[in-house]
Amino acid sequence: MKKEKISIIVPCYNEEESLPIFYEEITKIAKEMKNQDFEFLFINDGSKDNTLKIIKALSKEDERVRFISFSRNFGKESGMYAGLENATGDYVAIMDADMQDPPSMIKTMYEDIKNDNYDCVALCSPSHKDYGLVRKFFTNCWYKLIGKISSTPQVPGARDFRLMKRKMVDAIVDMKEYNRYSKGIFSFVGFNTKWIEYEAPDRVAGKSKFSFWKLFKYALEGILAFSTTPLVISAVVGLIFCLIAFIAVIVIIVKTLAFGDPVGGWPSLACMIMFVSGVQLLFLGIMGMYLSKLYLEVKKRPIYIVKETEKENIKEK
Ligand code: UDP
Ligand code: MG
């Protein structure tokens, strides 16, 4: 009988320190799982250090190692998409190179998928122990908010670390949107997912590539991609303001007719104008954000651009 193949996708951006450790660990696991074939698909996301060199060396030594090297840094989302699009396995896993997604878990994930007939086994680490207090606070608020305003459920602390069956991978690859928010996409495509809770260990080497600002933009991406509630709120608030204005006009007319027209109240008028124009600009901004996403979507720019793959590397041999 033909062995089942597991593809391991690893997006890498400046991971020269972590990669050798990761490779050693994952090959150990692959050795233990004798009845399955493996493919390691490294995505070099425009690294500026020796990441590509290391990957190339690995791919020359080990034919299970494949790679796709981007022409520049496209971001982890693009890396994951390139991996999913090019993986050939019956099962596909996405893992970080920094050992925060322990390779040893692949074994139990595979067993869970096989025995309990799940389509996907995913990991979540809701404790966020490597986050500072501020980041933790905003992260918790964000999960509460998205839970309320989006119909696509989000599991708190969900990582991108997951093992999926081919059918689910194909469904994700079919979602070719440019503004990718994979945590939402995974949930959107459905299928049976088993969630395993664990505490993500610290990075084995190097620094996190996600600054507070990058995470903030990523969180905003999640809202814009999976909820249109902000637009509805804009419309509802606009309507409420119209109603208030209408009532105010009637009150002023009645007051003027009853008591004459004393000139006064301009400071409050100035405050009101400023407040209302502020609200207008805010909602215009919200609309603009959706419009900018639409603009980029319509352009149909590529999600990633390949500079080289393991095929060229073999030729160089
Ligand atoms: N990564 C990437 N492109 C980027 C940023 C990160 O491919 O632009 C990879 C990175 O090499 C790592 C994974 O995505 O394998 C997760 O990144 P990181 O550990 O920095 O994120 P954190 O775990 O802190 O959220
Ligand atoms: Mg990490």
Side-chain angles (χ1 to χ4, degrees):
M1 207 178 86
K2 204 175 149 272
K3 277 187 186 177
E4 281 183 324
K5 183 158 139 194
I6 303 177
S7 300
I8 309 276
I9 299 170
V10 193
C12 306
Y13 178 51
N14 296 343
E15 298 285 3
E16 61 180 4
E17 291 164 272
S18 327
L19 258 185
I21 307 169
F22 175 81
Y23 177 74
E24 200 187 310
E25 281 302 310
I26 196 76
T27 42
K28 241 187 242 165
I29 301 303
K31 214 172 183 180
E32 285 169 26
M33 296 174 74
K34 286 188 192 67
N35 296 325
Q36 287 77 37
D37 278 335
F38 274 83
E39 160 185 85
F40 309 117
L41 181 50
F42 292 95
I43 314 294
N44 174 40
D45 186 11
S47 300
K48 292 180 185 71
D49 61 1
N50 286 322
T51 300
L52 182 59
K53 240 190 203 161
I54 296 172
I55 297 175
K56 276 184 172 177
L58 292 176
S59 101
K60 276 190 180 156
E61 275 165 29
D62 182 346
E63 61 178 19
R64 295 169 301 177
V65 174
R66 295 176 55 206
F67 71 86
I68 296 171
S69 185
F70 289 173
S71 59
R72 64 167 169 86
N73 179 249
F74 278 85
K76 188 185 176 189
E77 286 291 332
S78 298
M80 289 195 287
Y81 185 72
L84 292 172
E85 212 178 20
N86 291 283
T88 58
D90 306 296
Y91 294 86
V92 180
I94 300 175
M95 299 180 76
D96 288 0
D98 59 6
M99 303 289 285
Q100 288 197 290
D101 302 335
S104 56
M105 299 195 77
I106 288 288
K107 232 167 151 178
T108 34
M109 288 160 90
Y110 177 75
E111 275 158 20
D112 282 347
I113 271 199
K114 283 302 272 189
N115 302 338
D116 304 338
N117 207 19
Y118 283 103
D119 301 301
C120 171
V121 175
L123 275 88
C124 61
S125 177
S127 64
H128 299 291
K129 80 173 173 44
D130 54 333
Y131 283 12
L133 273 181
V134 179
R135 203 180 268 207
K136 222 183 235 176
F137 172 76
F138 279 112
T139 307
N140 289 336
C141 288
W142 185 84
Y143 276 112
K144 276 196 194 118
L145 179 72
I146 195 90
K148 288 214 167 73
I149 65 173
S150 172
S151 51
T152 308
Q154 304 273 333
V155 173
R159 294 186 64 83
D160 295 321
F161 184 21
R162 47 179 63 227
L163 181 71
M164 294 172 273
K165 275 189 183 160
R166 171 57 39 199
K167 261 202 180 139
M168 182 165 174
V169 175
D170 289 343
I172 295 167
V173 172
D174 273 345
M175 291 183 68
K176 299 190 189 302
E177 55 208 70
Y178 178 78
N179 297 287
R180 301 192 74 76
Y181 180 74
S182 285
K183 288 185 189 20
I185 292 175
F186 294 144
S187 163
F188 180 89
V189 294
F191 295 96
N192 279 342
T193 301
K194 176 178 181 170
W195 285 96
I196 302 178
E197 221 174 272
Y198 82 123
E199 199 159 290
D202 288 337
R203 236 176 189 279
V204 69
K207 273 203 303 243
S208 169
K209 314 293 181 292
F210 287 89
S211 60
F212 187 83
W213 178 236
K214 230 174 156 183
L215 265 186
F216 178 78
K217 285 208 295 195
Y218 186 61
L220 205 61
E221 191 78 48
I223 294 176
L224 294 175
F226 283 94
S227 169
T228 47
T229 308
L231 292 174
V232 178
I233 294 175
S234 316
V236 171
V237 172
L239 200 68
I240 293 172
F241 272 46
C242 287
L243 274 177
I244 294 174
F246 185 69
I247 294 166
V249 166
I250 294 175
V251 170
I252 288 165
I253 291 174
V254 171
K255 233 173 104 181
T256 313
L257 289 178
F259 307 107
D261 184 25
V263 182
W266 72 265
S268 53
L269 197 65
C271 290
M272 263 191 307
I273 290 173
M274 277 209 285
F275 175 65
V276 173
S277 41
V279 171
Q280 278 179 345
L281 283 180
L282 174 70
F283 291 148
L284 208 60
I286 290 176
M287 265 175 65
M289 282 197 263
Y290 281 94
L291 193 66
S292 72
K293 295 289 162 201
L294 184 70
Y295 174 61
L296 289 173
E297 215 61 66
V298 169
K299 281 192 177 203
K300 289 206 183 314
R301 283 181 180 163
I303 298 170
Y304 61 91
I305 295 171
V306 180
K307 192 172 167 198
E308 58 181 313
T309 67
E310 80 280 350
K311 290 187 187 106
E312 285 116 65
N313 200 36
I314 291 165
K315 265 189 246 151
E316 271 175 29
K317 242 193 235 183

